[in-house]
Amino acid sequence: MYELTKIKNNTYLIPSPTNIGLYLDGSDVYLIDSGNDDDAAKKVLRIIEANHWHLKMIINTHYHADHTGGNNYLIKHTDCQVYIHPNEIAYIINPELEVTTMWGGVPIPDYVDKSVLAKPTPLSRITNEMPSLFTIINLPGHSPNMIGIKTKDDVLFIGDALLNPQIINKYNVCYLYDVSEYLSSLKELSQISASYYIPSHGTVLTDLTEYMQTNMSKTLEICSLITKSIKTPQTIEDLVAIITQKYHIPLSNKQYVLITTTFKGYIKYLLAKNLLKIVYIKNKQYIIETEE
């Protein structure tokens, strides 16, 4: 963890709970994501300073706290700028939006910690100009406007577009914002060649096949479980209980929120495909099969 690892030419990786990319242009450093928190940022900055480099920019793949948690510390200690997709700027300057989006209102205290609430990124340090050193790959789905970053060395940082199969098999239900966009992003990603692919949670890859198959099959498996579970009308609460029990997932307040929000994304996807519909019975919402 937190040891500078050369991937190819000027592209490096700092392995950590959320992987951090580093691209070197002369003595200027461009980070791809900033880690979970101040502690992660301190370790990264020590690497940069030990090599007498200069932090030029942080490029955030998306707004989630484990990817932006080091922004605030690094900005305070350097003159770096920050780039994120323009539609996700609001989330990093007002991190409370992440927790209220997930919770659907003002969250209970038990839900809020540094894993979901990063320190704010000052608006004054955000730029809309992406250096020509990088190519942006739009990969929405896990977040509304997540991006992948391809360096000039043909190394592609894919954010949370694909999770390590070990994570998928351990947790089964992993957070998604928009299932339809996510499946489209997987298709897009399968058509992009690179010498190396680096997921935010996983190992350096030269081939995406295993990751792609596991992520795709689990997403479709959950779609199937939902459609099978609504042979009789079910509420969203019912679906959460049915599927988490099937996967033996223990629920905490945080896990409940992540799974419930994710299931709403699945329901929207299946609704658009006319595989279910929403009805109200005695002012209670139910998910039911569509009539053949």
Side-chain angles (χ1 to χ4, degrees):
M1 288 289 181
Y2 299 101
E3 291 187 2
L4 188 66
T5 304
K6 188 169 188 174
I7 304 301
K8 183 180 179 183
N9 297 335
N10 295 318
T11 303
Y12 297 78
L13 174 66
I14 302 174
S16 62
T18 299
N19 286 329
I20 299 167
L22 186 153
Y23 184 83
L24 189 62
D25 181 36
S27 62
D28 286 336
V29 164
Y30 295 80
L31 291 181
I32 299 169
D33 289 330
S34 62
N36 300 52
D37 51 24
D38 285 0
D39 288 340
K42 290 175 186 177
K43 293 171 183 175
V44 171
L45 189 56
R46 279 200 291 266
I47 291 171
I48 293 171
E49 291 177 340
N51 286 280
H52 306 289
W53 294 335
H54 166 250
L55 180 57
K56 182 80 171 178
M57 181 180 290
I58 303 165
I59 303 169
N60 291 135
T61 57
H62 60 295
Y63 68 82
H64 291 165
D66 59 323
H67 297 258
T68 62
N71 284 13
N72 186 277
Y73 180 89
L74 291 169
I75 285 169
K76 283 183 177 179
H77 292 83
T78 73
D79 60 354
C80 72
Q81 292 182 306
V82 174
Y83 179 91
I84 193 169
H85 189 287
N87 291 350
E88 297 202 356
I89 290 173
Y91 286 90
I92 64 171
I93 63 174
N94 298 295
E96 294 82 3
L97 289 176
E98 178 173 352
V99 293
T100 56
T101 297
M102 291 282 196
W103 183 260
V106 179
I108 60 175
D110 187 44
Y111 174 64
V112 181
D113 60 27
K114 68 179 182 180
S115 70
V116 294
L117 185 64
K119 293 179 180 178
T121 299
L123 179 60
S124 61
R125 292 293 188 92
I126 296 174
T127 177
N128 288 321
E129 296 183 12
M130 170 64 81
S132 60
L133 298 166
F134 309 100
T135 301
I136 296 176
I137 311 294
N138 290 312
L139 298 171
H142 176 74
S143 81
N145 296 100
M146 189 173 71
I147 58 174
I149 306 297
K150 192 174 186 181
T151 74
K152 282 195 168 184
D153 298 325
D154 199 38
V155 178
L156 178 57
F157 292 84
I158 62 173
D160 285 338
L162 291 172
L163 295 179
N164 188 324
Q166 291 180 346
I167 294 175
I168 297 286
N169 293 328
K170 178 178 180 180
Y171 294 104
N172 288 288
V173 181
C174 297
Y175 177 76
L176 287 178
Y177 173 79
D178 188 320
V179 174
S180 179
E181 291 276 30
Y182 178 71
L183 292 173
S184 295
S185 290
L186 292 189
K187 183 178 180 181
E188 170 78 8
L189 191 55
S190 70
Q191 298 170 351
I192 299 173
S193 64
S195 298
Y196 299 95
Y197 305 87
I198 302 180
S200 292
H201 306 284
T203 57
V204 179
L205 305 170
T206 56
D207 181 86
L208 292 179
T209 302
E210 181 187 4
Y211 273 54
M212 189 72 69
Q213 289 176 347
T214 303
N215 282 257
M216 176 73 79
S217 64
K218 183 59 70 174
T219 303
L220 297 179
E221 178 180 294
I222 293 171
C223 287
S224 177
L225 284 174
I226 291 173
T227 56
K228 288 177 180 177
S229 297
I230 57 171
K231 298 299 181 182
T232 56
Q234 306 291 342
T235 66
I236 292 176
E237 295 266 342
D238 293 332
L239 290 173
V240 170
I242 290 167
I243 295 174
T244 55
Q245 287 175 34
K246 176 178 175 57
Y247 287 130
H248 305 289
I249 301 171
L251 290 183
S252 62
N253 282 330
K254 186 172 296 181
Q255 194 71 3
Y256 172 82
V257 171
L258 290 172
I259 290 175
T260 302
T261 304
T262 297
F263 278 10
K264 289 177 180 178
Y266 276 98
I267 288 166
K268 183 254 187 183
Y269 170 70
L270 295 169
L271 190 66
K273 295 185 77 66
N274 200 35
L275 293 173
L276 55 76
K277 64 180 180 179
I278 295 173
V279 298
Y280 290 86
I281 303 172
K282 294 182 179 180
N283 284 352
K284 192 173 183 179
Q285 185 190 81
Y286 289 91
I287 314 300
I288 66 172
E289 284 188 294
T290 54
E291 298 174 359
E292 295 184 359

